[in-house]
Amino acid sequence: MYSVTLKAGLIDVVLPNGNRYQGGDIVILSAEQYGQIPASTRAAVFSATAVVPVPAS
């Protein structure tokens, strides 16, 4: 699982979980969902310091 924060100013970003998000939103994605996003897209959409692996409980 990954906790990611979308960059400020983004509008209607659709992520692999099928939901639509806005800039500044914090989203939890599974490793599979996160892996579906190309690295170049991750750099453009996610705040660099706000991608955090979330330990499974």
Side-chain angles (χ1 to χ4, degrees):
M1 304 278 285
Y2 289 86
S3 173
V4 298
T5 302
L6 276 66
K7 288 184 177 179
L10 296 176
I11 299 170
D12 293 334
V13 176
V14 178
L15 295 177
N17 63 5
N19 295 322
R20 193 174 300 270
Y21 299 96
Q22 309 304 314
D25 286 350
I26 298 171
V27 182
I28 302 293
L29 297 172
S30 70
E32 180 181 350
Q33 291 167 336
Y34 184 80
Q36 292 175 0
I37 303 168
S40 59
T41 301
R42 290 182 210 155
V45 174
F46 301 141
S47 296
T49 59
V51 175
V52 180
V54 177
S57 43

